[in-house]
Amino acid sequence: MKKLFLCTLYIVTLSLLVGCQKPNQKFEYTVDKFYDLEILRYDVPEFDQLSLQQKQLVWCLSEAALWGRDILFDQNGRYNLRIRRACEALYLNYPYSKDTEEFAAFERYLKRVWFSNGIHHHYSEDKFLPEFDQAWFEAACAEAGVTFDEAILPVMFDPAVMPKRTTQQDGVDLVAGSAGNYYGEGVTQAEAELWYAGHKDYSAEPLWIGLNSQLAKDENGNLIERVYRIGGLYGEALQIINYWLTQALDYAENDAQKLVIEKLIAYNATGDLQLFNEYCIAWVKDLDSRVDFVNGFTETYSDPLGITGTWESMVNFKDLQATKRAQLISENAQWFEDHSTTDPKYKKEEVKGVTAKVITAAILAGDCYPATPIGINLPNANWIRKEYGSKSVTIDNLMNAYNEAAKGSGFNEEFMIDAETIAREEKYGALCSNLHTDLHECVGHGSGKLMPGVSKDALKEHASTIEEARADLFGLYYLADPKLVELGLVPDMEAYKAGYYEQMMNGLMTQLKRIELGKDIEEAHMRNRQLIAKWVYDHAANKEVEIIERDGKHFLQINDYEGLRRLYGQLLAEIQRITSEGDYPAAKQMVENYAVKVDPVLHKEILERFAKLNIAPYKGFVNPKYIVLRDKNDEITDIKLDFTEGYIEQHLRYSSDYSPLPDVN
Ligand code: ZN
């Protein structure tokens, strides 16, 4: 799952900051909060409408997903399983009152270990230290009858031992200095690099050597490759994963999907990377199945050398309604192109929309759990992407959970100007953010053309800011078009106002939350949002938009929404001109004037107002629980989802029911 930083980061930040509406108000989205983390629950809409066969497929693939949990703990650090198990045993067997400060601190630590799949923060990758001391832990374990390997004590308590999961520090041996378990003890960066250089596959359809193995040293100090496969490293887990994949074969929707599962089973059994390539190709080609999944060693961010894959799994199925929405926009791509405010000579004569698939996640596991990406873009091998394509999806039900959880954070009340704006936001905010994303992705980026002789790289370092602004403006302009009502995508001509208010407020004010005081804006999407909002603000000659002050706080006020649309349209025309003509000086001026600089006084105010809200920076999920219903002959009659399981309950259950690996692997 390539982390979708480009367009999808935009979606998540946008939706994190806005509220939205969902008919099912009773669903409890927030489950737990501790440290900088918030645990959410996600709904799985339309699961009940899947056929029994599809439900069984999802269930078998979910089992295959959950059985990999230990692998990630061990990949994240060779002591993690021992630490997790000692802590869980103490948690379950603690003989005294749990109503003490020490025990509360201990529980928080264990919750954190579960969240990070180990002892390093999932995002910063720094080791977190217990808030209880070693003496308390040792005494408590003795009282509870919990025995453990004493080697875990310095790993847990000494800040100098394994301080970083993946180090990128200059001058530090990246392999020896990282706590991650992608390399055995005593392996150095130089040794590993030499080994990979000697084994790299330079053919046209290369094997990704090292993707599924740990480089370690044998008793004579020679490097050996310990392959992740049945009979090899993590074989105990892969064997059970294969059992469930084999069960899943019986419920496959078609031959293309069957082939995907068969290739994965063969690859897990042998570790043969040729089979992995064949699996990836089969996976890309399977476009018709409603149910889809990822299961295996995938992203390579956690290996300090970026070669070995981290285990992850996600099972999902197509969200038909949302995919239809994206399709409808795509099918009308030419109409949008023809009616935009851009100069006719910059328009494409023939424009094709792109259809993004929208999916519903049904289970998250490994590196997708509890913290999760919001999009999938695989496979990673460039030659496969080029020759066979890739799949890129957004995950609507997780986004929806973020949105729902953001409600009640007090954000809207703090930053929006009045009750009417808040009410409109709650009614239409999510709809606008989804539609804007679709317009941006499905038609925005694909619109317009370059003049003859203009290079694609003409705008150089400003290219991505300008390109994102172009796609965003295309979306903003059409959000307020009666065409969307005609297509049935919005109910009325009131909805777009929520999207407009959100864009201006975010671009001028609230996105500054993610910038450190005193710093400029660097990231292209953030630049583009400020560029649009500031340009419009500066050109609002008739006070279409204003910033007003009330009790020492600043608020955005929109006086003329139609006027605001005209301004977006004007800027779209100019940004398209800059792009089509490759006008670098104009792009540079546009970015420097509007996109980069931050007003330090306003910035400080925004940060202070945010600090007062109780919003956790990082979020993760609990999964639904699959309940299999059988008749008296043991035949499966239905599968239901249960959404009542808590965070602690879930992790204790996973550790008890899905823990195949030994302490030391
Ligand atoms: Zn984009």
Side-chain angles (χ1 to χ4, degrees):
M1 249 152 268
K2 258 200 184 125
K3 312 265 163 18
L4 290 188
F5 281 130
L6 280 174
C7 298
T8 32
L9 183 69
Y10 168 70
I11 312 167
V12 93
T13 46
L14 199 146
S15 347
L16 274 173
L17 298 179
V18 301
C20 86
Q21 196 188 357
K22 191 159 183 286
N24 184 1
Q25 297 291 347
K26 278 192 189 135
F27 196 87
E28 287 287 332
Y29 285 91
T30 297
V31 178
D32 204 346
K33 257 184 180 175
F34 48 96
Y35 291 104
D36 52 356
L37 307 171
E38 182 173 359
I39 307 295
L40 309 177
R41 178 175 282 124
Y42 60 94
D43 197 0
V44 188
E46 295 184 4
F47 181 81
D48 288 340
Q49 289 152 37
L50 297 179
S51 69
L52 179 59
Q53 181 190 337
Q54 287 169 328
K55 287 180 186 172
Q56 284 167 303
L57 177 61
V58 169
W59 168 61
C60 292
L61 294 172
S62 297
E63 290 291 310
L66 295 177
W67 278 101
R69 179 167 173 263
D70 281 356
I71 297 176
L72 181 63
F73 272 85
D74 198 69
Q75 284 188 307
N76 279 342
R78 65 179 66 90
Y79 295 98
N80 282 338
L81 284 171
R82 276 170 275 181
I83 292 170
R84 189 192 83 197
R85 285 169 177 158
C87 289
E88 286 167 348
L90 176 59
Y91 187 84
L92 291 169
N93 297 299
Y94 190 67
Y96 303 119
S97 163
K98 294 184 174 180
D99 197 12
T100 63
E101 252 173 60
E102 279 94 350
F103 194 85
F106 167 69
E107 184 181 270
R108 282 200 301 276
Y109 178 76
L110 179 55
K111 279 157 81 167
R112 232 176 167 185
V113 168
W114 286 327
F115 193 93
S116 295
N117 294 283
I119 58 168
H120 297 87
H121 191 276
H122 76 288
Y123 190 80
S124 76
E125 307 199 24
D126 293 325
K127 183 164 88 175
F128 46 84
L129 291 167
E131 294 168 298
F132 49 94
D133 58 34
Q134 185 174 330
W136 179 88
F137 180 74
E138 288 185 77
C141 284
E143 296 289 346
V146 172
T147 55
F148 58 85
D149 178 351
E150 295 206 344
I152 68 172
L153 292 172
V155 179
M156 284 173 71
F157 292 98
D158 183 345
V161 176
M162 298 188 153
K164 197 89 184 164
R165 192 172 76 196
T166 313
T167 190
Q168 274 115 21
Q169 210 184 320
D170 278 345
V172 172
D173 184 308
L174 299 185
V175 168
S178 294
N181 198 18
Y182 297 92
Y183 301 88
E185 269 180 296
V187 178
T188 66
Q189 183 180 350
E191 288 171 324
E193 282 173 344
L194 193 66
W195 192 92
Y196 285 131
H199 289 77
K200 197 171 162 65
D201 182 354
Y202 291 98
S203 63
E205 299 184 353
L207 305 180
W208 192 306
I209 306 288
L211 177 70
N212 62 340
S213 65
Q214 181 199 54
L215 274 191
K217 283 187 173 172
D218 66 14
E219 57 271 28
N220 302 317
N222 299 318
L223 273 191
I224 49 165
E225 192 187 19
R226 303 180 66 207
V227 177
Y228 305 151
R229 62 175 170 81
I230 292 178
L233 190 51
Y234 306 141
E236 301 89 340
L238 292 169
Q239 186 150 22
I240 308 179
I241 289 169
N242 264 7
Y243 168 82
W244 283 104
L245 291 175
T246 307
Q247 299 296 304
L249 271 181
D250 290 346
Y251 308 113
E253 295 175 80
N254 51 52
D255 287 345
Q257 187 175 50
K258 208 171 254 179
L259 184 68
V260 175
I261 300 172
E262 283 167 353
K263 290 288 178 193
L264 182 59
I265 291 171
Y267 167 61
N268 283 339
T270 59
D272 179 350
L273 290 165
Q274 178 59 40
L275 288 166
F276 180 70
N277 284 349
E278 291 168 17
Y279 155 72
C280 289
I281 293 165
W283 183 77
V284 169
K285 285 184 176 170
D286 175 22
L287 295 173
D288 296 334
S289 306
R290 177 138 189 222
V291 177
D292 203 355
F293 74 106
V294 173
N295 182 311
F297 302 95
T298 310
E299 296 299 347
T300 59
Y301 302 100
S302 295
D303 170 359
L305 301 183
I307 290 169
T308 304
T310 302
W311 196 88
E312 70 179 29
S313 185
M314 179 184 289
V315 183
N316 62 77
F317 56 90
K318 221 181 276 182
D319 178 337
L320 297 182
Q321 219 187 328
T323 303
K324 215 184 277 169
R325 184 187 71 212
Q327 252 159 12
L328 194 57
I329 287 173
S330 226
E331 284 161 13
N332 287 278
Q334 192 66 52
W335 189 91
F336 289 119
E337 178 75 342
D338 295 345
H339 292 79
S340 84
T341 56
T342 60
D343 191 309
K345 68 180 178 219
Y346 303 140
K347 290 182 195 294
K348 263 190 193 140
E349 292 77 18
E350 215 180 308
V351 61
K352 259 179 90 181
V354 180
T355 304
K357 186 169 104 170
V358 183
I359 60 167
T360 301
I363 207 91
L364 308 168
D367 210 22
C368 297
Y369 171 87
T372 190
I374 49 156
I376 300 177
N377 188 342
L378 283 174
N380 284 332
N382 279 327
W383 70 270
I384 300 180
R385 298 171 73 85
K386 227 186 263 167
E387 245 170 88
Y388 299 94
S390 59
K391 287 192 211 170
S392 178
V393 300
T394 51
I395 310 165
D396 248 24
N397 60 329
L398 301 185
M399 302 262 303
N400 185 56
Y402 288 130
N403 283 333
E404 285 296 319
K407 269 188 189 173
S409 68
F411 172 84
N412 290 351
E413 291 72 11
E414 176 61 39
F415 289 104
M416 291 184 175
I417 191 161
D418 54 26
E420 188 194 349
T421 307
I422 294 171
R424 199 190 286 126
E425 174 58 39
E426 289 183 352
K427 189 167 177 194
Y428 300 114
L431 176 65
C432 284
S433 118
N434 286 338
L435 276 175
H436 183 254
T437 303
D438 290 340
L439 287 163
H440 174 119
E441 302 283 355
C442 303
V443 287
H445 278 305
S447 70
K449 67 175 183 190
L450 302 182
M451 290 292 95
V454 172
S455 152
K456 262 166 62 188
D457 307 318
L459 302 181
K460 295 186 243 184
E461 75 274 21
H462 301 304
S464 51
T465 299
I466 295 293
E467 175 57 18
E468 291 308 323
R470 202 174 68 85
D472 259 6
L473 284 161
F474 200 91
L476 287 164
Y477 182 74
Y478 280 114
L479 206 51
D481 201 290
K483 181 80 177 174
L484 294 197
V485 181
E486 185 195 305
L487 291 173
L489 292 167
V490 293
D492 52 46
M493 286 304 292
E494 184 71 8
Y496 80 91
K497 295 178 182 173
Y500 276 23
Y501 193 88
E502 202 286 332
Q503 196 284 329
M504 289 299 293
M505 177 185 69
N506 193 33
L508 288 174
M509 298 163 54
T510 48
Q511 73 162 352
L512 295 176
K513 176 205 170 206
R514 304 202 290 139
I515 301 286
E516 245 177 79
L517 201 60
K519 296 230 160 112
D520 288 341
I521 299 179
E522 302 276 351
E523 200 272 327
H525 289 76
M526 292 186 71
R527 282 188 169 184
N528 124 52
R529 275 175 249 143
Q530 177 168 304
L531 186 159
I532 294 172
K534 271 223 160 119
W535 187 95
V536 164
Y537 182 71
D538 268 23
H539 289 75
N542 303 313
K543 292 226 179 295
E544 289 89 344
V545 295
E546 289 182 87
I547 289 182
I548 61 149
E549 195 184 329
R550 204 167 60 196
D551 307 326
K553 293 176 177 180
H554 291 86
F555 293 90
L556 171 77
Q557 180 170 301
I558 298 183
N559 301 314
D560 177 3
Y561 279 92
E562 283 172 41
L564 176 54
R565 185 185 188 214
R566 280 193 295 275
L567 288 165
Y568 282 144
Q570 274 173 34
L571 182 57
L572 172 60
E574 172 60 5
I575 294 281
Q576 184 61 56
R577 187 200 64 77
I578 291 173
T579 304
S580 293
E581 301 287 346
D583 188 344
Y584 175 76
K588 185 172 152 71
Q589 208 176 25
M590 189 68 96
V591 172
E592 283 173 358
N593 283 352
Y594 299 107
V596 180
K597 292 284 170 222
V598 177
D599 170 0
V601 179
L602 181 64
H603 190 187
K604 188 157 174 278
E605 178 197 314
I606 299 293
L607 292 180
E608 283 166 2
R609 287 163 72 182
F610 261 109
K612 276 187 251 149
L613 304 174
N614 184 20
I615 300 178
Y618 305 105
K619 296 180 172 46
F621 291 97
V622 292
N623 282 314
K625 191 173 168 181
Y626 284 72
I627 312 283
V628 179
L629 307 178
R630 294 171 193 271
D631 64 16
K632 56 180 187 301
N633 302 319
D634 216 28
E635 294 289 323
I636 296 176
T637 54
D638 200 0
I639 295 174
K640 295 277 181 200
L641 297 184
D642 177 272
F643 297 97
T644 58
E645 195 168 32
Y647 178 70
I648 293 176
E649 267 175 287
Q650 179 149 95
H651 283 275
L652 288 174
R653 178 168 68 88
Y654 285 176
S655 292
S656 127
D657 296 358
Y658 300 93
S659 192
L661 293 187
D663 281 347
V664 180
N665 290 280

